[in-house]
Amino acid sequence: MTPNTVTFLNDVLAGLQQNPKTLSSKYFYDEEGSKIFQEIMDMPSYYLPKAELDIIHSQSKAIASHFRSKKVDLIELGAGDGRKMVHFVKILSKSTAELNYIPLDISSSILKVNRDLFEQEIPEIHVKPLAGDFFQTLPEIEDSTHTRIVLFLGSNIGNFRKEKAIEFLGFVGDHLQQGDFFLLGVDLKKHPRTIRNAYDDPGGITKRFNLNLLKRINRELNGDFDLQAFDHYATYHPITGASESFLISLQQQTVQIGDHEFEFEKNETIQTEISQKYDFPMLENLASESGYSIDSIYKDTDEQFAWVLMKVASH
Ligand code: AVI
């Protein structure tokens, strides 16, 4: 077993030994899971990518005006192929005196796609990709006198519980100085049904995404989950702003993972994901508890999604 598989196994065993049972959403994204996530991004009910693209098109100039004539290191955490960001970076590069774009991603192959795209579309900037876990790669970025802007977009912060989100924002803050910025993409509270529909589509794509985690456990950890014996269930709580996804055991059953056995009651849940939605007081609170102050908030036309520009508070 590779060290990554050992960590996966330990996390799965620990999660299923808990009461209520949990599995971490970070394991959704094997090759198949990443493909299904692309399908989710194209679903009409999954409004998040469209709202974020609207922000990119309608707000990039206003955001770029903060950085006029500055030398900037733009560090994107979980950058992916960069397709959406080209427009923003192009506009930013027109304001700044110098721009280095530093995309960080776990996948070196996706970073190659990213680099090729940026070098072709915006040849005047420097692209310096770094592959690996960003807890390792962020500290490796050389100190410079440039203003740092760290980007963490796509509502990825929503997949952390509050304590983890604070810990993560704090970790990034340790690599920022006075005058640096964090641009955070968050999904906003809205009509509860809009959110429920985004995480429980009639075509069953999100169900396949959730069940793929069990398929991955079967394949990589020698499990014997019967995929037909589990259902997908998503809830949204309009006060806490938590959208939560579960797998529901449809019958009493025993599941084997390697040498370990797990009992499931009929209708027992495995919590697999939280996708946190925010309102402005919650964002203020998240920023201040993580050592930041909010400079400005940029929303899409329908006010579904926000980019929060935060400054580091003094250390
Ligand atoms: C990646 N992440 C921000 C998505 C979300 O909206 O929480 C993952 C997702 N889960 C179900 N649909 C999409």
Side-chain angles (χ1 to χ4, degrees):
M1 264 195 201
T2 65
N4 284 346
T5 313
V6 173
T7 311
F8 180 29
L9 176 64
N10 290 337
D11 286 351
V12 166
L13 296 180
L16 294 181
Q17 274 152 9
Q18 272 176 36
N19 184 16
K21 293 180 170 69
T22 62
L23 287 171
S24 169
S25 62
K26 72 175 177 209
Y27 294 114
F28 279 154
Y29 303 92
D30 62 351
E31 212 182 308
E32 189 169 343
S34 304
K35 276 193 197 137
I36 307 173
F37 184 55
Q38 284 305 318
E39 287 182 57
I40 288 178
M41 303 252 276
D42 292 336
M43 286 178 351
S45 63
Y46 193 69
Y47 56 84
L48 290 80
K50 289 170 273 296
E52 193 158 51
L53 204 57
D54 182 294
I55 296 181
I56 292 176
H57 284 112
S58 60
Q59 309 279 16
S60 289
K61 276 196 185 139
I63 299 169
S65 68
H66 282 263
F67 305 100
R68 190 157 292 134
S69 307
K70 293 208 163 111
K71 293 184 175 176
V72 169
D73 285 347
L74 183 67
I75 302 166
E76 183 170 13
L77 308 178
D81 64 17
R83 240 182 321 159
K84 270 208 289 193
M85 288 309 288
V86 169
H87 182 75
F88 173 70
V89 180
K90 211 177 251 176
I91 303 253
L92 186 64
S93 71
K94 288 186 184 133
S95 288
T96 50
E98 194 180 319
L99 182 60
N100 295 313
Y101 175 54
I102 308 167
L104 270 43
D105 203 284
I106 196 83
S107 156
S108 48
S109 55
I110 202 83
L111 283 176
K112 188 175 177 320
V113 177
N114 183 309
R115 178 186 217 145
D116 290 349
L117 178 70
F118 276 84
E119 285 182 348
Q120 191 190 329
E121 293 286 324
I122 327 173
E124 60 275 23
I125 66 166
H126 301 110
V127 187
K128 302 175 176 174
L130 274 178
D133 180 338
F134 47 65
F135 284 98
Q136 254 124 51
T137 48
L138 183 63
E140 282 171 19
I141 299 173
E142 269 172 54
D143 283 334
S144 78
T145 53
H146 294 184
T147 301
R148 277 189 174 178
I149 314 172
V150 172
L151 306 176
F152 192 52
L153 304 173
S155 183
N156 286 317
I157 193 75
N159 297 132
F160 295 131
R161 295 206 165 270
K162 189 172 178 198
E163 319 75 67
K164 277 271 165 214
I166 291 172
E167 193 183 308
F168 167 75
L169 295 174
F171 161 78
V172 176
D174 290 341
H175 301 280
L176 298 177
Q177 296 183 341
Q178 288 282 289
D180 290 342
F181 288 85
F182 195 136
L183 190 56
L184 186 66
V186 296
D187 196 14
L188 298 175
K189 284 184 173 178
K190 56 184 64 63
H191 195 302
R193 201 171 297 113
T194 306
I195 295 174
R196 273 252 315 273
N197 290 343
Y199 292 90
D200 198 4
D201 59 293
I205 298 175
T206 312
K207 176 176 178 176
R208 241 191 313 127
F209 183 60
N210 206 358
L211 283 170
N212 180 58
L213 185 49
L214 303 185
K215 212 170 161 183
R216 180 175 184 186
I217 294 172
N218 285 352
R219 193 183 54 247
E220 293 184 25
L221 306 179
N222 194 22
D224 70 351
F225 277 106
D226 172 4
L227 269 58
Q228 306 293 326
F230 286 87
D231 198 4
H232 164 72
Y233 180 70
T235 65
Y236 172 66
H237 194 295
I239 297 172
T240 63
S243 167
E244 301 188 50
S245 294
F246 300 88
L247 289 162
I248 312 290
S249 173
L250 294 174
Q251 60 199 42
Q252 190 185 23
Q253 53 186 320
T254 306
V255 173
Q256 192 100 20
I257 300 174
D259 302 334
H260 303 263
E261 271 191 358
F262 296 94
E263 300 295 332
F264 289 84
E265 297 298 328
K266 183 173 179 181
N267 295 325
E268 188 174 345
T269 56
I270 313 174
Q271 183 174 34
T272 51
E273 187 175 48
I274 174 162
S275 299
Q276 184 66 45
K277 313 303 170 195
Y278 295 89
D279 55 26
F280 296 118
M282 287 167 76
L283 288 171
E284 289 283 359
N285 178 271
L286 180 68
S288 69
E289 286 202 40
S290 323
Y292 296 85
S293 65
I294 296 182
D295 184 284
S296 1
I297 296 184
Y298 300 91
K299 288 176 285 178
D300 62 296
T301 327
D302 296 332
E303 310 204 329
Q304 307 225 61
F305 203 89
W307 275 11
V308 185
L309 186 63
M310 308 189 296
K311 286 195 281 220
V312 268
S314 46
H315 284 298

